[in-house]
Every structure is written in structure tokens, then in C-alpha cells.
Amino acid sequence: MASTSSSDVLILALGVALAALYLFRDSLFAASKPKITSSTTKSLDDTDGNPRDFVAKMKAGNKRLAIFYGSQTGTAEEYAIRLAKEAKAKFGLTSLVCDPEEYDFETLDTVPEDCAVFFVMATYGEGEPTDNAVQLMQNLQDESFEFSKGGRDLSGLKYVAFGLGNKTYEHYNVISKYVDTALEKMGATRMGVRGEGDDDKSMEEDYLEWKDGMWEAFATAMGVEEGQGGDTADFAVRELESHPEEKVYLGELSARALTKTKGIHDAKNPFPAPLIVARELFQDPKDRNCVHVELNTEGSGITYQHGDHVGVWPSNSELEVNRLLLALGLYDKKDKVINIDSLDPALAKVPFPVPTTYATVLRHYIDISALAGRQMLGTFAKFAPNPEAEAAIKELNTNKEVYHKIVADGCLKAGEVLQLAAGNDIRAIPAPENTTAWPIPFDMIVSSIPRLQPRYYSISSSPKLHPNSIHVTCVVLRYQSVPNERVSERWVYGVGSNFLLNLKYAANGEEAPLIGSTGVENAVVPTYTIEGPRGAYKQDNIYKAPIHVRRSTFRLPTNPKSPVIMIGPGTGVAPFRGFVQERVALARRSIEKNGPDALADWGRITLFYGCRKSNEDFLYKDEWPSYASELKGKFVMHTAFSREPPYKPDGSKIYVQDLIWEQRESVADSILNGKGYVYICGDAKNMSKAVEEVLAKVLGEAKGGSAEEEGAAEVKMLKERSRLLLDVWS
């Protein structure tokens, strides 16, 4: 072994000493370092190690209100944010707007006395909490759940409750009622009455009627006075002089879409699905359209089951985009790149990706095609271009009757209201020379108009027959408004359905009837930027639609021996086409495995379907016989054509509920003796109620009683046991 020189030893020793000094530097030199005093104000993320403790976050951010929202489509979240904004403007109080899924509720009993909690809760499906509010409801209703101090005492808690629902549904606003009842039972004190918003009539009007009384009770209970807040903006909009073009969002719905990176496709990252089939379903589409679209999901990772819903992300029509750009004086700078910053991220997050452009925001990100809300108009009045316009829009804001007659009945959007108030002709194609510009700050537009949401459709196919495609059956929404002295009768177009109709025309190379050359709006179909951002939704001659799948509990029984009764007039038949396809696929496998008699003990599937005329709007008319053939008599279809004979003896029309009554013996036998399942899909306001009434009559008579007692009890029992399921809309 070679000998080590003295210089080598010295160098080695010096290295060890330096290494030791470095490793133990904090303890050796602590006295010489200045002490760092902790700040009295924590950041919102500094919650003593538990980011799910909302009370700690409130204290850290000096927030006196926590506002929880149970939201399925985004509406409850919008109202939660509105309440937070009003609390700040009226009383100077800041809020923590909370998704209940992101927090625990053990500390609900430690909310400080000078603070309060708001619950803005939507009711979903058949009286169910929204997906993000399931845990909250379990905690409130589970008697074994204890809060941080032990037990279930909330006697020090002050709260506000507002519910969102639809009166056409049986379980109207039950989730907000459950929350209210549970909190009262545990000793909490409600400020004001519980609010109930009815989406069937006017959620906006219900909210406006409720909030003033609530804020009065709130001020008294909280010991605050109105006028302590200020009219501050939620966002800061900056125009960018230079920004890399490839980093500007031009309608992309996610960062992954912008950068073209792979990832899971869901509501936060929809998949651009190619249209492989797009066809008209109505035999006589002169006045009405119903579009059948097949979307290719191969390679996307998207899966679905029969009964699920597909969310289609539309854009706003170019007519409305240009109208609002002109009304805001932004048309000449529509492609200017802007960035938007939230001035209080805990109160209001920027609702779409940035940086972007003015035109992109109006085209892809906010719902400028929705009815202009009455409260929104009060904000716009401050920026009126002249006294006459200010007076006109203030009247619409303050006079409920005038608003309902002019705006609600006239189906006026934000851009149209601005034009009308300024004395412009809203029937003319918008142009600089006929549209008065309002100097409304763009941050006010972003704050006032809600995010453009996907439109949901019941999937009309089965993955067992179509594993790589999703079928959509969509009737095109197009109707005329109620005329009044200021606004004549006009065509109103549904955003999602007309977007799909545009895609169908483009995919097939068909000529669409569009805006006329006379300068007056006389369109049958508005136009959309269906090519998508940067042309991403068009490849060669293939068009794409951004989609995601939403799960549903609307499912067939697993045992094919159980009888099934399906009631679906019009496009309500969509999920039942998927149901029947599901059974056809199962039948093919069973026959292949067990021979031609494999379906002998299967329960019968009965479909009650209705439309206007057999030769006009009979959906999938050519398909049903082939399904019946494959199911060997186990599929039976009863049809009602309301506008062709035979009619009832008194001359009135025949509907699906009349068919059920005609078949009452077999219906009662399937339900009572066969332990069958009943499914209703379609209009909630009229059809669904009428069907439930006739079912109660059928079952009451079969049990030797009345519809009001025995029949109603049987219908209730079917719902409780998930043997009567509804997929309805208003």
C-alpha cells in the first residue's frame, strides 16, 4: 500500500473540517442569525397542515363568510359567487367560496361567533345531492357523525340557506330542505327564510325576491350596516402588447388541448370527437329538425354505459358574438390579446383559461346567448352612453313587470338589451353604424355573464353494440318569442342543438338556410365557428365536437328476466334505443351460447312511444322491427300519434299515458307480479306527471283501491326501491 504524504493528510483534514462546518452551520451560527418573527396574517394555504379545514382558511384570510355550493352544472356555484360579491359590496365582508368536496366538516362547530356559513344547494336527479355535496349531506344526516368538540351541537352557528330546483320534479328543492332541517335540529340559527329557486319559471326572479329580506335579517344577526362595502371589480383585464401566439387560448377548453398533450378526457378536458354519422331523423324536416349524430371515441379512453349522458361543448353564434362586440365598442379590437387576473381568487376565480382575446371570450367561454338577468342590467346602467339609454335600462332593472314583458317574454340576450336600451334596431344585422357602443369595462362582462356550459344529451346507443361511438338524438330548439310593444316576434335558437345542426350541415356538405341578404335577421339556422380554435375541430372533411361523458343511474336491471316498461315520447326515446340495443347484444350472446330458446324466460321489454305523425317525426322508425325480431317477441312497442287518427271518442289527442291505460292489465301484471322496472324519459312538466298519475290509477285499481291511496303508495314504493326511474327535463 502506498504511503501517504504529510501534505495529503493536511488537505484531507481540512476537507473534513469544512464539510463538518457546512453540515452543522445552522446550530453553530444560530446566535448570529436574526430571528424571523411569524406574520400575524397567514396565507390562505397556511392552515396548520390541514388544507381541508375551512375554518382555519377563513381565519387565515380574515374571511367572515364561508359559502358552500352544491352544484352539478355550475348554476349553484354562480349564485354562491353572487352572494359573496353582494356581501362585499353591501357590508365590506369577504367570503371563502367553497366546493364542499374539498373540505371536511368536523370543524363546523368552531365557526367564530362573528362569522356565518351559507349553503347554496341544488337538488339533482330524483331528490339527490349533487356529486360534490354527497359527503356534506352524509355528515349532516348521519347521527353517528361528530364534530370536533364531540357530539352534534351547532348552537353557535349562524347560517343562510338557498336551494335550486325545479317544481316539475317531485322532490323539489329537497336538498336545501334537508340541510336546513339538519342544521336547525343541531341548534344552528338561520338568518332570514330559506330561499327556493325554481328553474321551471325564473330562478333569477326567485333569487331577487328572496335576497333583500335575507340581507336585512343577516345585517341584524351579524351586527353590520349596509354601505360599508364598495363597488369594486372582481377582475383586472389587461391588454397584452406581445405574447407568444401559441400560448394564447382561442377557444381551447384546457391546457392539454392548447399544448396537444395526452391526458384523461373529462369535463375539465373534453375530447374532440370526430363525427362519423350526422343525419336528419324527421321524415318532414321543413319546419322542425331532429339530428342524429354519431361521435367516434376510439383511442380517447372514454367509456360509457347505456343511460349515461354526453356533454357537448358548443360555441355561441357569430351573430351574437358580433352584436356584443359592437355593443361594447370592442369590434375593432376583437382579436386583441388580453390577460385577466382575479383580484380576490378566494372570491372569484377567472372562469376560463387565459391569456385569450375579447372575441374568444364571447364566442367560447361565457354564455352570451342566455337571457339577460335583471340584476345584471343594474350594473350596466352605470355605463349608459346617454341619459335615455340609462333610463331605459334602469326601468328594465327595477320594474319586474316591465322586465318580464320586454326581456323575459322577448327572450333578449345581453347584447340585444344594450341595443334596445340605446334605441337600436335589434332585428337588423349588427354593424358599427346601427349599434351604439357602451363603455362597460370588460371585467364587468366577465363578472356578470355566467360561463358557457356543456349541453347534456341522453346517449342513444349501447356500448355493447357501439363500443367506439356515442350516439346523440337531438331535437333542434327553435321557437318564436312573445311579441310586445317594443320587441316584435323573433326567432329564438337553442345554442347546443343549433350548433349540432350546423355540424350536420357541414359534415354532409349540405346548404344551410342562413341570414338573408336584406340586412334583416331571417335565419333558419344561425352560424357557428364549428372549425374550432385554430381549426382543431376540422380535419380534412371530418368535423369534431368537444365532448365528455357524465355517469347516470338510469340503468336496466341486471337480470333480463325482470320485465321492463319504458315511456319515452319524442326525443325521450333516446336512452331507450340504447336500452334495447343493450338487450339485443345480450340476446345475441345468449342465443349463441344456449341456442334459439335462450330468451324463453326473459321478461318482456315494453316501449310506449309517442310523436305527432307516423310519417313525420317517428324517430328510428326503421330500426324497431329489427330489434323486435332479434329479441324473439320479448320487445313490444306501443305508439301514439297525437296528430293523426284514431283520436279519442271525444276528438281529443292520444298520448303515451293513454296507451298505458289501454294496456293497464299487462302493465299492472309486469309491475306487481313480475317485479318489473319502469323508466320515464322526456318532458317533466306535462308528460312525466301525467304518466305517474295514470300509473297510480292502474296500480291502485289492480290492488282493489284508489289511485290517491293504494296507487300513490305503490308509485312511491317503486321510487324508493329504484324500480321507477326518471330522466326528465323541463
Side-chain angles (χ1 to χ4, degrees), residues 497-509:
S497 59
N498 283 279
F499 175 78
L500 285 174
L501 182 60
N502 255 245
L503 278 172
K504 180 243 179 191
Y505 283 135
N508 296 335

Side-chain angles (χ1 to χ4, degrees), residues 141-162:
Q141 294 181 306
D142 182 2
E143 294 292 337
S144 66
F145 177 81
E146 294 188 351
F147 297 106
S148 60
K149 295 179 183 178
R152 291 174 62 78
D153 180 16
L154 295 178
S155 55
L157 180 70
K158 292 187 282 289
Y159 74 95
V160 170
F162 181 72

Side-chain angles (χ1 to χ4, degrees), residues 296-589:
N296 187 356
T297 57
E298 191 170 4
S300 67
I302 289 178
T303 59
Y304 74 98
Q305 295 185 54
H306 68 280
D308 282 346
H309 304 116
V310 60
V312 178
W313 295 75
S315 60
N316 291 301
S317 76
E318 288 303 289
L319 182 74
E320 295 309 320
V321 173
N322 291 333
R323 187 194 308 277
L324 194 50
L325 283 169
L326 288 161
L328 296 174
L330 294 173
Y331 189 80
D332 290 339
K333 53 198 296 189
K334 60 184 177 181
D335 296 322
K336 185 72 176 177
V337 178
I338 58 173
N339 196 53
I340 303 177
D341 297 302
S342 174
L343 299 178
D344 186 353
L347 172 62
K349 298 175 183 176
V350 180
F352 44 79
V354 290
T356 182
T357 68
Y358 289 118
T360 299
V361 172
L362 303 189
R363 181 177 292 120
H364 293 288
Y365 295 146
I366 62 176
D367 197 356
I368 66 170
S369 303
L371 184 72
R374 185 155 64 91
Q375 190 169 12
M376 174 198 304
L377 305 183
T379 303
F380 292 171
K382 303 169 189 175
F383 306 97
N386 53 58
E388 293 77 18
E390 181 181 11
I393 203 164
K394 275 187 174 178
E395 182 187 24
L396 296 174
N397 165 239
T398 57
N399 191 315
K400 178 181 174 182
E401 287 70 28
V402 173
Y403 169 84
H404 186 81
K405 187 175 182 181
I406 305 300
V407 180
D409 284 351
C411 303
L412 298 184
K413 309 164 192 69
E416 292 171 330
V417 171
L418 294 179
Q419 283 189 310
L420 185 70
N424 305 144
D425 180 6
I426 66 171
R427 289 181 63 85
I429 297 175
E433 56 271 16
N434 64 21
T435 306
T436 303
W438 293 57
I440 302 172
F442 201 65
D443 68 84
M444 294 288 185
I445 298 298
V446 175
S447 297
S448 302
I449 301 178
R451 175 76 193 262
L452 183 61
Q453 299 288 345
R455 272 44 179 180
Y456 288 99
Y457 303 96
S458 298
I459 296 176
S460 58
S461 56
S462 161
K464 288 185 171 61
L465 287 190
H466 303 280
N468 295 316
S469 68
I470 287 174
H471 297 190
V472 175
T473 307
C474 172
V475 68
V476 178
L477 184 61
R478 183 173 65 242
Y479 60 94
Q480 291 189 299
S481 63
V482 178
N484 56 69
E485 67 270 16
R486 296 190 213 173
V487 184
S488 58
E489 188 177 68
R490 301 157 47 256
W491 282 105
V492 181
Y493 309 95
V495 173
S497 59
N498 283 279
F499 175 78
L500 285 174
L501 182 60
N502 255 245
L503 278 172
K504 180 243 179 191
Y505 283 135
N508 296 335
E510 298 169 353
E511 194 71 31
L514 303 174
I515 301 293
S517 59
T518 59
V520 177
E521 182 195 348
N522 59 358
V524 176
V525 183
T527 59
Y528 301 81
T529 53
I530 55 175
E531 297 85 1
R534 296 179 170 88
Y537 299 161
K538 183 183 180 185
Q539 186 176 9
D540 298 326
N541 292 322
I542 304 297
Y543 286 84
K544 303 176 182 180
I547 66 165
H548 75 277
V549 168
R550 184 176 73 184
R551 301 300 175 195
S552 169
T553 56
F554 203 65
R555 296 269 188 274
L556 280 169
T558 54
N559 186 354
K561 295 179 181 179
S562 299
V564 170
I565 296 170
M566 307 178 297
I567 303 104
T571 52
V573 81
F576 301 138
R577 178 175 181 262
F579 279 29
V580 175
Q581 287 185 0
E582 186 84 2
R583 280 292 165 88
V584 165
L586 185 60
R588 288 176 183 175
R589 289 203 302 268

Side-chain angles (χ1 to χ4, degrees), residues 15 34 38 100 134 160 190 227 252 280 389 406 416 450 521 557 605 638 658 706:
S38 60
V134 171
V160 170
R190 188 183 64 241
E252 292 86 359
E280 175 65 53
I406 305 300
E416 292 171 330
E521 182 195 348
I605 304 175
H638 300 284
D658 302 308
S706 68

Side-chain angles (χ1 to χ4, degrees), residues 220-275:
T220 302
M222 296 289 288
V224 294
E225 292 183 11
E226 190 167 348
Q228 297 173 353
D231 191 8
T232 57
D234 299 314
F235 305 104
V237 179
R238 293 180 292 118
E239 295 183 355
L240 305 180
E241 294 307 317
S242 63
H243 196 83
E245 185 181 342
E246 69 277 6
K247 294 184 178 180
V248 178
Y249 288 87
L250 298 179
E252 292 86 359
L253 295 163
S254 68
R256 288 199 292 257
L258 181 66
T259 57
K260 293 183 169 57
T261 53
K262 292 185 177 180
I264 296 172
H265 292 290
D266 54 19
K268 295 180 180 178
N269 182 39
F271 171 66
L275 272 74

Side-chain angles (χ1 to χ4, degrees), residues 14-25 28:
L14 182 62
V16 171
L18 289 172
L21 284 171
Y22 177 78
L23 289 170
F24 299 102
R25 64 193 185 283
L28 290 171

